[in-house]
Amino acid sequence: MVVPTISQPCNSFKFQKNINYAACEDLSVLESSLHWNYHPSSGVVDVAFNKANAKDSSWVAWAINPTSKGMIGSQAFMVVHRQDGNIKAYTSPITSYATMLQEGNLSFPVYSISASYTNNHIIIFTSFQLPVNKTMVNHVWQEGLVSNDGTLRSHSFARSNLQSYGTIDFMSGKISESDEDVTSRVTLKNVHGILNTVSWGIMMPIGVILGRYLKVFEGLGSVWFDLHRACQSLAFLIGVVGFVSGLYIGNHYGVHNTPHRCVGITLMCLAFIQVCVAVCLRPKKDHKLRIFWNIFHYVVGYATIAMGIWNVLKGFDVLNAQTIWKKNYLGIIISLGIIVVILEIIKWILACNKKINKNSEEHIHIRQQHT
């Protein structure tokens, strides 16, 4: 069992082998601190990045971005600490949001890089050459987990992980936090989750329930069809907005999860095809092709519902939502499932009664003919 340690101020932290640094700064998030020695004559910086309360199987990165803010263009110093105790330090240039943090050379000379894991602290030691006549750079730091197969998993999208960047001046020792409004990013993330949960995860299943079970009640006429169409149309429109917001988040903030993204695109394609087929290509009830249309409509519809529910649950994990939201959604789905079971029983009872009444009427009619 790993007992969390209280992060001590950077100026009181003692490195092994009596390594000393002239400057240090406690970073605002992710329980991290930065220590460095700057050599003005050569432009070389010796850096130690210290991450407290690191997990056994995790990766840690500290990077500088000489050209811009944020993730793209960052030149990262990586440490991968596996569950078996093996630890590896290397460099990785970040060229896209879809990076796998693979090993590669940086855009400036790196003279040394190593790492240590002691008392739940992962420390990156490195020495590198700053760009000419430049002591202030953008920097970013991050952490994530390592899968059992050794794959580096994406970092969390909690507020602290979205705030882990800023600027540092190695000469003056001034470090500033990110000046971007993280609240707007978190709000957009929440809006994306709410829209898609309501549309794909709740309204779509309700629309199917309305279409399947209301039509068995005689006297409603076409009301069931109008409700089914209205519910699914509104769900589709909300889903389109949610889909667009997801693309925006992925393209502008680098929030990527391949399974979630692929299923989302598939859902949008299936829903679009379903709308086109339902509105433009629906044959009349007595048409010979109606049975094939029904099969297509049912298969695509139920596949969309199943994939939508799965993707909503996956989305909660991707966006690092609080457990209560996932539990509440599961409660809604279970409630809808119970309603479906009850309505299915009622449907079969009504169908059986209708068949019995029909047989009785036919039997009475036959007796009347014989008499």
Side-chain angles (χ1 to χ4, degrees), residues 116-137:
S116 68
Y117 178 76
T118 307
N119 297 327
N120 302 333
H121 285 256
I122 287 182
I123 305 175
I124 304 173
F125 298 96
T126 184
S127 178
F128 59 91
Q129 181 78 51
L130 281 175
V132 179
N133 299 324
K134 195 168 189 178
T135 61
M136 178 179 288
V137 293

Side-chain angles (χ1 to χ4, degrees), residues 39-102:
H39 307 281
S41 59
S42 61
V44 174
V45 183
D46 305 319
V47 171
F49 175 80
N50 181 11
K51 169 67 181 77
N53 292 320
K55 297 179 175 61
D56 285 339
S57 185
S58 62
W59 60 266
V60 171
W62 176 75
I64 66 170
N65 194 331
T67 58
S68 62
K69 292 183 179 181
M71 181 175 171
I72 301 300
S74 294
Q75 308 295 301
F77 302 91
M78 296 287 307
V79 171
V80 178
H81 180 235
R82 305 190 188 280
Q83 198 164 12
D84 59 5
N86 182 39
I87 189 168
K88 178 183 179 181
Y90 63 94
T91 57
S92 177
I94 310 300
T95 57
S96 72
Y97 286 121
T99 179
M100 299 301 293
L101 298 175
Q102 61 270 26

Side-chain angles (χ1 to χ4, degrees), residues 318-331:
V318 172
L319 297 180
N320 199 39
Q322 295 181 1
T323 306
I324 186 64
W325 294 109
K326 191 172 185 178
K327 289 182 177 179
N328 287 340
Y329 177 68
L330 286 173

